[in-house]
Amino acid sequence: MIQQKAASRRVLIVAVVLAGIVITVGFGLARRVDLVSTDQGEQWLEDEHRYLIAQIDLLEIQWEQALEEAADFELEASKRERGEAAREVLGLRQVSYFGKRGEAHELVEFPLQGPAPLEPSLLSGELVLTNEEVFSSHNPIWIDDAGRPLMYRKADAHGSAVVFILNKKIARGVVLGELKSLMRTVPRVVPAGGLLEFSGDSGKVWLSRGDADCKSRPADETLRHYSRFGEWPIRYWRPRKEVVSYEASVLGGMSLVALLILVGGYWADREQARALKLAAQRVSFVNSVSHEFRTPLTNILLTTELAQEDSREPKAERRLALILDEGRRLSRMVDNVLSYARAERGKLQLGQVREVKLAEFLESCLQQFEILFARKGITCELDVSGDERVEIEVDFLSQIVLNLLSNIEKYAGDGAVAKVEAVAGKTLRITVSDNGVGIPAELKFRIFDAFERGGDSVTSTSSGTGLGLAISRELARSMGGDLQLKNSTNGAVFLLEIPLF
């Protein structure tokens, strides 16, 4: 009963644990971690971009001024002086001269030496310029078309023109060096946790400020500027912090599931407690009734035994013997019920240990079944060896042996042969066997369960309460031993082992 109450509590404990797990999982599923920007103002970024644009525009103006001055010189220079001014201009790789308008327009190309390969040639036809492009205006113009190098053209009032073929990579490299020096001298403070990068056409970063770990995610903002030297992008990663939030719908749903589990566990606990209470009341009732049976039953048995001793008529003796046998059978049933009730309450305790002669004790147990065995033609042999006297809890041992003999009478069948073997040493071993129908293999694992009778339920018509073997094992274990069903090809074999005092 104590174990059953503990099992009832376990239902509620399991429900609480499951509800806790559901809530924990719910928090895990509902939890969201968002990276929220902590940069509230970005005016400094716009200032940084404007400063970069101003510096690039200034360098571009200076470059254009240098090109215009070189063009003016080249238009007035003699053949011997050609190229002197052009060599001083950043990124100028080749000069092409056109003659006066109305003449043959003599085309002279003057390649300037340098580390990079020469640009495509106008003279060879690799590049083509129309008259409109060359002579359309006296004002200097840029020729910047896809598929052609960057060119700068200027003509004079006399119909001559000069075309500079430029290499943007060379000019860009020099501009980049100037920008690096200028930008590093400007004290800019990037917010903690942010990152600012300056890069070029190829995407190569030429200046970086801030936390490089930000590059694991895409840039939050990209500002671009285009000039004659190419593209100048600025990329900015805002500082972020983790903000934890929980989705109310998920958390609410999991909380509802947890609540249902708790309610279900509480209901199951109450129902099981109610069932256990009812079972306890039934056991108490059976226990009380069994106690009430025991006193008059004992008196009946004593009176029957006295009457049997005084009787001189054989017919009356046989009837008295029948009453005595059936009374003993009823007494065994009452003992089993009372023992089961005590075991359910956890109050099954050893009685007084007494010294007995083992052979005489077992013989007296067999005598109680002498008439019952004779009716069914069952013969039973007794074989005792080892110590003659043993100290043991006699009442428990008697109840176990009588239950085993009762099973032989009930289930072995007519004409069966049974045997009781006892060996006494440090351990008392009693083997009770028969050659009857035996116990099916599928029932061997539950034959010691309460209310099991060789596979029959307690509601079937077979005799007995189904408590004999269950109580016998409990009694054996309370004495420090055990009762086991041994493997056998013929009949049933039970082995009782109890350590002796």
Side-chain angles (χ1 to χ4, degrees):
M1 186 64 65
I2 294 175
Q3 294 177 349
Q4 290 175 340
K5 289 181 178 179
S8 174
R9 294 293 93 184
R10 283 199 294 270
V11 172
L12 187 58
I13 292 173
V14 169
V16 172
V17 171
L18 287 177
I21 293 174
V22 169
I23 289 294
T24 302
V25 173
F27 271 98
L29 294 176
R31 187 173 185 266
R32 292 184 56 186
V33 179
D34 298 314
L35 293 175
V36 179
S37 174
T38 59
D39 188 4
Q40 301 300 324
E42 298 180 356
Q43 184 61 42
W44 67 271
L45 180 60
E46 296 179 5
D47 295 341
E48 191 90 3
H49 190 225
R50 281 196 296 267
Y51 180 78
L52 176 66
I53 293 173
Q55 296 304 318
I56 294 174
D57 290 346
L58 178 60
L59 290 173
E60 186 173 335
I61 291 172
Q62 293 174 352
W63 191 37
E64 190 169 354
Q65 288 175 350
L67 288 171
E68 187 172 2
E69 291 175 1
D72 291 339
F73 178 84
E74 296 297 335
L75 286 172
E76 300 295 335
S78 63
K79 289 185 178 181
R80 294 183 61 182
E81 295 174 330
R82 285 179 178 176
E84 291 182 5
R87 287 189 179 92
E88 305 298 326
V89 180
L90 177 69
L92 206 163
R93 298 292 291 143
Q94 194 167 303
V95 183
S96 297
Y97 303 92
F98 291 85
K100 295 180 180 180
R101 185 188 300 271
E103 300 179 357
H105 305 305
E106 178 187 8
L107 176 59
V108 179
E109 290 185 330
F110 187 84
L112 303 177
Q113 301 302 317
L118 298 181
E119 301 295 336
S121 170
L122 288 168
L123 188 59
S124 64
E126 295 174 355
L127 286 179
V128 177
L129 292 176
T130 64
N131 285 335
E132 184 178 358
E133 288 177 319
V134 177
F135 301 109
S136 62
S137 172
H138 296 166
N139 298 323
I141 62 171
W142 290 95
I143 303 174
D144 191 3
D145 300 327
R148 296 196 294 183
L150 178 62
M151 290 178 280
Y152 180 85
R153 190 277 306 168
K154 189 173 183 181
D156 60 13
H158 306 293
S160 297
V162 63
V163 177
F164 293 159
I165 300 180
L166 306 167
N167 189 311
K168 285 197 291 186
K169 291 183 180 179
I170 297 175
R172 182 181 178 82
V174 177
V175 172
L176 185 58
E178 292 289 335
L179 288 176
K180 286 181 181 179
S181 300
L182 289 170
M183 298 300 289
R184 285 171 179 166
T185 59
V186 179
R188 300 293 184 191
V189 179
V190 178
L195 175 64
L196 184 65
E197 279 190 352
F198 299 86
S199 57
D201 285 329
S202 62
K204 184 177 181 181
V205 177
W206 55 270
L207 184 61
S208 177
R209 294 172 178 166
D211 186 1
D213 293 338
C214 294
K215 295 193 70 173
S216 59
R217 53 185 170 87
D220 296 300
E221 190 168 353
T222 301
L223 304 177
R224 302 179 184 276
H225 176 60
Y226 298 91
S227 72
R228 298 293 181 190
F229 305 116
E231 181 184 1
W232 304 89
I234 296 178
R235 292 180 177 86
Y236 177 52
W237 287 261
R238 296 187 183 91
R240 296 183 179 182
K241 68 175 181 180
E242 290 187 354
V243 176
V244 179
S245 61
Y246 296 90
E247 292 187 15
S249 58
V250 176
L251 199 56
M254 298 302 282
S255 299
L256 179 60
V257 173
L259 179 61
L260 291 176
I261 291 176
L262 286 175
V263 171
Y266 178 75
W267 177 83
D269 178 73
R270 290 291 301 274
E271 289 298 314
Q272 191 167 12
R274 187 180 295 109
L276 290 176
K277 183 178 179 180
L278 180 60
Q281 291 173 345
R282 290 173 179 172
V283 171
S284 178
F285 171 76
V286 172
N287 190 37
S288 300
V289 171
S290 299
H291 273 292
E292 294 298 325
F293 271 130
R294 186 171 226 177
T295 301
L297 183 59
T298 302
N299 292 333
I300 291 172
L301 290 175
L302 289 174
T303 303
T304 303
E305 288 176 353
L306 291 174
Q308 191 178 33
E309 291 176 0
D310 296 338
S311 175
R312 295 292 181 266
E313 298 182 9
K315 187 175 182 179
E317 287 183 1
R318 288 195 299 272
R319 290 175 178 175
L320 290 172
L322 177 61
I323 294 173
L324 190 61
D325 288 338
E326 294 302 323
R328 287 170 178 169
R329 181 198 296 270
L330 184 58
S331 178
R332 287 193 299 273
M333 293 176 60
V334 170
D335 288 340
N336 284 338
V337 170
L338 290 175
S339 297
Y340 176 74
R342 287 194 293 270
E344 283 293 289
R345 296 197 305 271
K347 295 183 178 181
L348 189 63
Q349 297 178 348
L350 285 173
Q352 184 178 2
V353 176
R354 303 197 309 270
E355 183 181 84
V356 295
K357 291 183 179 180
L358 184 59
E360 292 180 3
F361 169 78
L362 294 176
E363 185 67 37
S364 67
C365 291
L366 286 173
Q367 286 177 359
Q368 296 186 41
F369 286 87
E370 185 175 359
I371 296 177
L372 296 175
F373 283 175
R375 289 176 187 168
K376 294 187 176 183
I378 298 175
T379 59
C380 185
E381 302 176 7
L382 176 63
D383 183 7
V384 180
S385 61
D387 296 339
E388 181 180 353
R389 296 176 179 272
V390 295
E391 290 186 358
I392 200 166
E393 214 286 13
V394 179
D395 293 336
F396 280 12
L397 180 61
S398 174
Q399 191 171 347
I400 295 172
V401 173
L402 292 176
N403 282 334
L404 294 176
L405 293 175
S406 177
N407 280 347
I408 293 175
E409 185 266 332
K410 293 174 186 174
Y411 304 115
D414 295 346
V417 177
K419 187 173 184 180
V420 178
E421 300 173 90
V423 180
K426 291 184 178 181
T427 300
L428 173 62
R429 292 182 174 85
I430 299 178
T431 303
V432 179
S433 60
D434 64 72
N435 65 346
V437 295
I439 299 172
E442 65 272 12
L443 301 179
K444 289 183 179 180
F445 295 100
R446 66 172 192 265
I447 195 66
F448 290 101
D449 294 342
F451 309 112
E452 284 288 339
R453 297 178 303 184
D456 294 331
S457 67
V458 293
T459 58
S460 64
T461 57
S462 59
S463 62
T465 61
L467 292 174
L469 289 178
I471 292 301
S472 296
R473 171 172 274 187
E474 286 291 331
L475 294 174
R477 289 179 175 177
S478 69
M479 291 188 289
D482 199 6
L483 177 63
Q484 303 175 41
L485 174 65
K486 308 299 290 185
N487 292 329
S488 175
T489 57
N490 185 23
V493 179
F494 290 92
L495 174 61
L496 172 66
E497 293 182 308
I498 299 174
L500 296 175
F501 294 92

